[in-house]
Amino acid sequence: LNRNSFSGSIPAELGNLGRLWYIHLGNNLLTGPLPGAVFVPTLQHADFGDNRLTGSLPMDMTLIPKDLINIDVSKNQFTGSIPVGLGSLTGLSSFTGNENDFSGQLAGTVFNDRMTIFDVSQNRLSGLIPNGLFNRGTSLTLLNLAANEFGGTIPSRFGDLVSLEQLAFWFNDFVGTIPTTLGLLSNLEVLHFGETDLFGTMPSEVCELRTDQDGVLATLSADCGDSPPMLACDCCTQCFESN
């Protein structure tokens, strides 16, 4: 039922479909809250992206459907926090919640060891990167934290997430220098640091992901466009200037 012009609210009666395993209501004009009743025990794929849904994500989303694989709530108007129990969905491989109005701190319990995609870009999330990410997020291939209000330093333990292919820190309030351990991410293809408060020099270990013959890093951005640059980077493909 995606890519139509359905409007109005999502009926809670969908939860009466006892064998429901797939909901695809993305790209419509749906409004109102997301009813928890639609998260039945058999549900595996839930796509509500690109609508006009509001309110907090329902608690039932993390309590009832134990076989959920994909959740897409992107491009809506959701508020509140990312549910702390998200990681209890042990089969969940993808959560996309970008382009909403989520706020608060990100709990380490939102991750699990099967999750490969986690995108919460363009929200109002704040605080430090949780330690739980490095204990539970070891299967991640895409981690997009861009355009939020995250702060503090970038933990050196990011070097433990060796499956990462795309990693975005840009448009946040990170401070300090870039850890050399990011050079351990040999599968990394995209890495963004621009529009932060990071300073110093891009570690040679990260540059080698671009210059080494086995490196696959094709896109690397940082705040290296000023003279002198806030973050010196001779290997970046995109340099931002301060406003």
Side-chain angles (χ1 to χ4, degrees):
L1 299 176
N2 66 308
R3 298 187 182 278
N4 285 285
S5 298
F6 293 125
S7 60
S9 59
I10 297 174
E13 288 78 10
L14 285 176
N16 295 331
L17 302 174
R19 297 183 180 180
L20 184 67
W21 67 275
Y22 188 98
I23 298 178
H24 197 170
L25 292 174
N27 300 95
N28 281 291
L29 303 171
L30 297 168
T31 57
L34 180 58
V38 304
F39 290 93
V40 295
T42 54
L43 191 63
Q44 296 183 27
H45 303 273
D47 179 6
F48 304 100
D50 205 351
N51 280 286
R52 300 171 183 175
L53 300 172
T54 56
S56 300
L57 295 181
M59 186 178 298
D60 288 346
M61 186 176 74
T62 62
L63 296 178
I64 296 176
K66 298 303 182 183
D67 296 321
L68 260 178
I69 298 172
N70 301 306
I71 299 175
D72 184 352
V73 291
S74 64
K75 300 180 180 179
N76 279 286
Q77 300 167 25
F78 288 116
T79 56
S81 59
I82 305 295
V84 297
L86 203 61
S88 65
L89 301 171
T90 55
L92 188 66
S93 67
S94 175
F95 177 81
T96 49
N98 52 295
E99 297 183 51
N100 280 284
D101 199 27
F102 292 122
S103 60
Q105 298 190 9
L106 194 62
T109 53
V110 303
F111 302 100
N112 67 46
D113 57 10
R114 292 189 182 182
M115 191 176 290
T116 59
I117 295 173
F118 188 80
D119 186 349
V120 289
S121 59
Q122 298 186 56
N123 281 285
R124 293 191 300 112
L125 297 168
S126 59
L128 305 178
I129 302 296
N131 287 328
L133 165 63
F134 310 109
N135 300 324
R136 296 165 169 256
T138 52
S139 296
L140 285 169
T141 61
L142 183 152
L143 178 61
N144 193 347
L145 305 174
N148 279 285
E149 300 169 10
F150 290 114
T153 58
I154 296 177
S156 61
R157 288 194 64 189
F158 266 101
D160 297 339
L161 305 183
V162 295
S163 296
L164 277 173
E165 298 173 2
Q166 299 183 51
L167 177 58
F169 296 108
W170 56 356
F171 295 92
N172 276 289
D173 299 325
F174 293 113
V175 297
T177 58
I178 295 173
T180 60
T181 51
L182 290 178
L184 299 173
L185 304 181
S186 59
N187 295 308
L188 208 56
E189 300 173 3
V190 177
L191 179 57
H192 289 301
F193 293 108
E195 299 292 340
T196 64
D197 292 321
L198 297 166
F199 60 86
T201 301
M202 186 66 67
S204 59
E205 292 86 350
V206 175
C207 284
E208 287 172 3
L209 297 176
R210 278 193 41 75
T211 59
D212 187 84
Q213 63 179 2
D214 296 323
V216 295
L217 184 60
T219 302
L220 176 62
S221 76
D223 294 321
C224 47
D226 290 323
S227 182
M230 187 169 180
L231 200 157
C233 182
D234 294 332
C235 60
C236 283
T237 61
Q238 183 178 13
C239 284
F240 289 87
E241 297 179 359
S242 60
N243 296 327

